[in-house]
């Protein structure tokens, strides 16, 4: 019997990227849709392995999972720990602030406290803002923790990928999307460096679902307000 495709992710309610693992009918969102397409293309059963953010890359390295499909921007710090497939998404980064307190550009963040996930592209961007203080977050529920810190006043802003702010910036009464930095961050699936066959299988499957338009359909379903970043021949 073929082994299941075991992919790591955190358990968080972060639509349209993904919902809680305990949600009726299971996880939903763009990344689960990508995972389901890949599993079907590889003729393997999909199995999510839920764990804290900081445990995901070590789990791939130790072969406890086949890969990490969970908001992994392809940045140098991660490339030191894992190999990556081609991107399944390209996103920019946004600054979320309390409604009525938004600033139009990075200059307005001087003296502000900015929440960002430790060792992430978001952290690197936040650290580049002159005069701002970056507050590291890393926990099992890191996204919810950052939003709670913003809501309570512990921090003044949250720096994260624009896609996670889609449901918040326009409709949440507590928050507003202050501005977006066009960083073109590619997201891929992280795989242990000593598993080239797994990397090749996942990358090949991803190439096929991009080429035939299946990935574009998933993007249109879950991310209709964001521009699809890949050409389909």
């Amino acid at each position: 019997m073929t082994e299941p495709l075991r992919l790591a992710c955190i358990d968080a309610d972060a639509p349209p990227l993904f919902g809680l693992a305990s949600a009726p009918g299971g996880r939903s969102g763009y990344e689960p849709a990508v995972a389901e397409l890949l599993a079907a293309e590889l003729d393997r059963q999909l199995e999510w392995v839920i764990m804290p953010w900081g445990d995901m890359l070590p789990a791939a390295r130790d072969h406890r999972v086949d890969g990490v499909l969970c908001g992994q921007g392809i940045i140098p710090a991660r490339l030191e720990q894992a190999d990556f497939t081609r991107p399944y998404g390209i996103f920019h980064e946004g600054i979320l602030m309390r409604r009525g307190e938004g600033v139009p550009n990075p200059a307005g963040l001087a003296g502000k406290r900015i929440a960002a996930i430790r060792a992430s592209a978001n952290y690197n961007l936040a650290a580049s803002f002159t005069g701002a203080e970056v507050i590291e977050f890393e926990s099992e529920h890191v996204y919810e923790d950052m939003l709670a810190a913003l809501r309570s006043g512990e921090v003044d802003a949250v720096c994260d990928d624009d896609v996670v702010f889609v449901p918040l910036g326009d409709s949440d009464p507590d928050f507003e999307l202050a501005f977006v930095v066009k960083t073109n961050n590619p997201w891929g699936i992280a795989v242990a460096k000593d598993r080239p066959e797994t990397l090749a299988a996942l990358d090949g499957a991803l190439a096929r679902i991009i080429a035939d338009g299946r990935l574009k359909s998933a993007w249109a379903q879950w991310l209709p307000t964001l521009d699809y970043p890949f050409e389909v021949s």
Side-chain angles (χ1 to χ4, degrees):
M1 182 176 178
T2 304
E3 292 291 321
L5 177 62
R6 291 168 53 82
L7 298 174
C9 195
I10 61 174
D11 192 20
D13 189 24
L17 274 178
F18 48 76
L20 293 169
S22 59
R27 288 166 57 83
S28 63
Y30 178 65
E31 288 190 331
V34 173
E36 290 162 10
L37 287 171
L38 293 174
E41 179 66 18
L42 295 170
D43 196 23
R44 296 172 67 178
Q45 181 181 349
L46 175 61
E47 180 180 328
W48 286 108
V49 182
I50 303 300
M51 62 184 66
W53 181 269
D55 292 350
M56 293 190 298
L57 289 177
R61 180 195 63 209
D62 298 340
H63 300 184
R64 287 178 280 138
V65 296
D66 296 303
V68 179
L69 203 171
C70 192
Q72 298 293 294
I74 305 173
I75 60 175
R78 293 192 182 120
L79 286 167
E80 292 177 358
Q81 302 178 65
D83 289 333
F84 280 82
T85 64
R86 71 192 63 209
Y88 61 83
I90 296 175
F91 300 106
H92 306 301
E93 291 166 89
I95 295 294
L96 192 75
M97 302 184 75
R98 286 182 292 275
R99 192 164 295 279
E101 299 180 10
V103 299
N105 54 54
L109 295 173
K112 304 290 188 183
R113 296 159 297 173
I114 307 175
I117 297 173
R118 189 184 72 82
S120 68
N122 312 132
Y123 183 93
N124 294 340
L125 177 64
S128 75
F129 296 150
T130 302
E133 178 185 1
V134 186
I135 309 299
E136 286 188 355
F137 279 75
E138 183 179 54
S139 64
E140 185 175 359
H141 303 291
V142 64
Y143 181 67
E144 292 96 329
D145 289 347
M146 291 194 299
L147 293 184
L150 178 59
R151 202 183 304 272
S152 71
E154 179 185 343
V155 299
D156 302 300
V158 173
C159 182
D160 210 328
D161 296 273
D162 59 352
V163 61
V164 304
F165 294 146
V166 167
L168 298 177
D170 294 327
S171 60
D172 192 290
D174 294 332
F175 304 129
E176 64 177 90
L177 184 60
F179 61 88
V180 171
V181 180
K182 298 285 188 177
T183 48
N184 293 299
N185 287 329
W187 288 18
I189 305 167
V191 178
K193 287 183 173 291
D194 60 352
R195 297 186 70 179
E197 72 292 339
T198 300
L199 181 69
L202 286 169
D203 189 69
L206 183 53
R208 293 190 293 275
I209 68 171
I210 291 173
D212 66 14
R214 280 177 285 170
L215 188 73
K216 186 175 183 179
S217 295
W219 185 284
Q221 177 183 356
W222 292 104
L223 310 175
T225 63
L226 301 180
D227 292 334
Y228 183 67
F230 306 116
E231 292 293 334
V232 177
S233 58

